[in-house]
Amino acid sequence: MILNSYERMVARRYLLPGKGEGFIFLVASISLVAVALGVAALIIVMSVMNGFRAELFDKITGLNGHAIVQGYEGRLPDWQQIAVKARSLPGVTSATPLIEQPLMASANGRVEGVLVRGMRMEDFQTNPVISKNVKAGDLRLVTPDSGRVAIGSRLAQALGAYPGSTISLISPEGRSTVVGTVPRIVSYTVAAVFEVGIYDYDNSFVIMPMQDAQNLLLMGDTVSTVELQTTNPDRVDTILAPLQPLVQGKGALIDWKQMNSALFDALEIERVAMFVVLSLIVLVAVFNILSSLIMLVRAKTRDIAILRTMGASRKGMMKVFVTVGVTIGSLGIILGLILGSIFLFFRQGMLNAIQYLTGQNLWDPSVRFLSDLPSKTDPFEVTAIVVTALVLSFLATLYPAWKAASTDPVQVLRYE
């Protein structure tokens, strides 16, 4: 929409308050702020939701892979054959043997349920989710037959353990005696404490070398799971389909979608619902633009009539008021982008400040899974939000602009 010089002058004049137009200017300013808040809220919430999903996905698949082959009854015979076959498939980047078993741990008179994970030393020392999140101790000390383990940070707090402490793992698979099976209790030294940022993992994981886990659980040379990583998580079922016949009868092939389907489906539903609800803020702001323009048209009826008698066209008057409304919406969108960017940059500090002032834990990791407030801004979503706000702002200007263009100068100036 191209404006000539006089149309630009009139539009610029109508954007600024004239004599007795303070209330109209106030309503227009409220409209601008409302658009800014709506755009900022949408960007912030969508970015946090995207960040939450991406962070959760990266950490879950970083520890559990894109898929697992889980043996029946916790035993996976011929796991070497399965791993070799999996590595030969196009799209599979790794096949890692694991042992996972829920046990009990005790230390300092405290007892907690834990998830013991046995991994090859080279696997857990090179796994970035673990190796890059060591908070205390040295992960390199966790070696086979050393009697050392690494534990999650929240488990360490619950047990009162730290690097150098001794914890006991209690396994129901023990010695058989005349009075029954005696639980197997083995003591280990804590060599490292890690924090991956997912509450359930930090609260339960005990990492130890594969050989130590096999000895603890009396598993011999077997494992319970083979973890698989692929080049494309979204096509994991297609990539691993040729592995299904080999796994049949020995275990179950489970991908990340099946393992976490309820969680990620709930996140997607919540994401869509939040977008719809927060879009109402922008819609309310657009109605404010509509009302402010209607009041402006009524206040400028005499000016419009004079301009019409001086040769201004109906189309020109429409362009003037459309420009005024779209300018208010555009300024609100720009302000919203700035506010959203500032909040996302300082999000954790702001969250901590709000929690301090209110005394409430707004981001409880036991409920939210993650320890910190994540963020991942999608440029396509931001573009969609901006375009939606612009289109709604434009639509809100059409009726007032039409009313202005349809003003009859003869009727308005008859008694002047």
Side-chain angles (χ1 to χ4, degrees):
M1 185 172 59
I2 301 176
L3 279 70
N4 58 35
S5 58
Y6 96 86
E7 290 169 348
R8 285 196 298 271
M9 180 194 69
V10 174
R12 186 164 53 248
R13 173 65 184 83
Y14 285 178
L15 278 170
L16 300 175
K19 184 178 180 180
E21 297 173 359
F23 182 72
I24 299 176
F25 180 74
L26 176 62
V27 174
S29 300
I30 292 173
S31 304
L32 188 150
V33 173
V35 171
L37 292 177
V39 170
L42 276 170
I43 291 174
I44 291 168
V45 170
M46 299 308 292
S47 296
V48 169
M49 293 296 293
N50 289 338
F52 187 82
R53 185 186 187 281
E55 191 81 4
L56 201 60
F57 176 81
D58 289 343
K59 291 185 176 181
I60 286 176
T61 57
L63 285 174
N64 294 327
H66 296 151
I68 60 171
V69 179
Q70 189 171 43
Y72 295 137
E73 298 182 356
R75 301 288 192 275
L76 186 62
D78 301 329
W79 66 267
Q80 294 94 337
Q81 183 183 358
I82 294 173
V84 170
K85 173 64 176 177
R87 293 190 192 103
S88 67
L89 296 177
V92 176
T93 57
S94 68
T96 306
L98 298 175
I99 293 175
E100 279 194 353
Q101 184 68 36
L103 299 177
M104 299 296 293
S106 66
N108 302 313
R110 308 173 188 177
V111 178
E112 295 288 337
V114 299
L115 183 63
V116 172
R117 168 172 281 207
M119 303 175 67
R120 294 179 303 188
M121 188 174 65
E122 62 270 21
D123 291 331
F124 66 74
Q125 290 187 349
T126 57
N127 188 316
V129 177
I130 300 174
S131 61
K132 292 184 178 180
N133 292 289
V134 175
K135 297 301 180 181
D138 190 348
L139 196 63
R140 292 172 297 181
L141 298 177
V142 183
T143 57
D145 301 321
S146 65
R148 299 189 184 95
V149 296
I151 64 176
S153 59
R154 295 187 181 274
L155 177 61
Q157 294 175 9
L159 293 175
Y162 52 88
S165 296
T166 299
I167 66 171
S168 297
L169 296 179
I170 306 169
S171 171
E173 298 290 336
R175 301 189 311 272
S176 296
T177 66
V178 292
V179 294
T181 301
V182 177
R184 182 177 173 81
I185 303 176
V186 181
S187 296
Y188 295 90
T189 301
V190 177
V193 175
F194 59 87
E195 183 175 326
V196 300
I198 296 182
Y199 179 84
D200 288 348
Y201 295 163
D202 292 332
N203 195 49
S204 61
F205 261 29
V206 175
I207 306 293
M208 65 172 58
M210 179 76 71
Q211 297 92 319
D212 291 0
Q214 289 171 335
N215 293 335
L216 172 65
L217 300 172
L218 305 176
M219 295 182 64
D221 192 36
T222 63
V223 301
S224 61
T225 303
V226 173
E227 174 194 288
L228 305 171
Q229 294 279 1
T230 65
T231 54
N232 188 346
D234 293 325
R235 295 185 59 251
V236 63
D237 49 350
T238 304
I239 293 173
L240 298 178
L243 193 62
Q244 189 67 50
L246 184 61
V247 176
Q248 194 73 32
K250 302 175 184 177
L253 179 59
I254 309 171
D255 61 39
W256 68 270
K257 300 175 185 177
Q258 296 169 306
M259 288 187 284
N260 307 282
S261 60
L263 175 60
F264 286 104
D265 287 347
L267 285 176
E268 188 62 27
I269 292 172
E270 184 177 1
R271 180 170 166 273
V272 174
M274 293 298 290
F275 182 86
V276 172
V277 171
L278 292 175
S279 295
L280 295 177
I281 299 177
V282 178
L283 192 59
V284 170
V286 165
F287 279 111
N288 284 337
I289 294 176
L290 174 64
S291 61
S292 65
L293 286 180
I294 289 174
M295 287 189 292
L296 182 63
V297 169
R298 291 185 63 85
K300 297 295 184 181
T301 300
R302 184 173 178 275
D303 292 357
I304 295 169
I306 293 173
L307 289 172
R308 289 293 313 282
T309 59
M310 294 174 63
S313 65
R314 292 178 181 271
K315 182 179 179 182
M317 298 312 303
M318 283 197 70
K319 288 195 292 183
V320 167
F321 284 93
V322 168
T323 301
V324 172
V326 171
T327 301
I328 294 172
S330 300
L331 292 175
I333 291 170
I334 294 172
L335 180 58
L337 291 172
I338 295 172
L339 290 175
S341 301
I342 292 173
F343 186 92
L344 290 174
F345 186 79
F346 296 103
R347 64 187 182 280
Q348 194 60 46
M350 290 184 178
L351 178 64
N352 294 337
I354 294 173
Q355 290 182 151
Y356 176 79
L357 292 174
T358 61
Q360 300 293 322
N361 188 355
L362 303 178
W363 194 261
D364 185 355
S366 63
V367 177
R368 306 290 183 181
F369 296 101
L370 300 179
S371 301
D372 298 321
L373 182 64
S375 171
K376 183 181 179 182
T377 303
D378 185 346
F380 294 103
E381 285 187 349
V382 173
T383 302
I385 292 170
V386 170
V387 170
T388 301
L390 274 175
V391 170
L392 290 176
S393 299
F394 171 75
L395 293 176
T397 65
L398 294 181
Y399 176 73
W402 175 78
K403 289 293 291 182
S406 61
T407 299
D408 185 355
V410 175
Q411 293 295 330
V412 173
L413 299 177
R414 175 177 293 177
Y415 302 105
E416 292 291 334

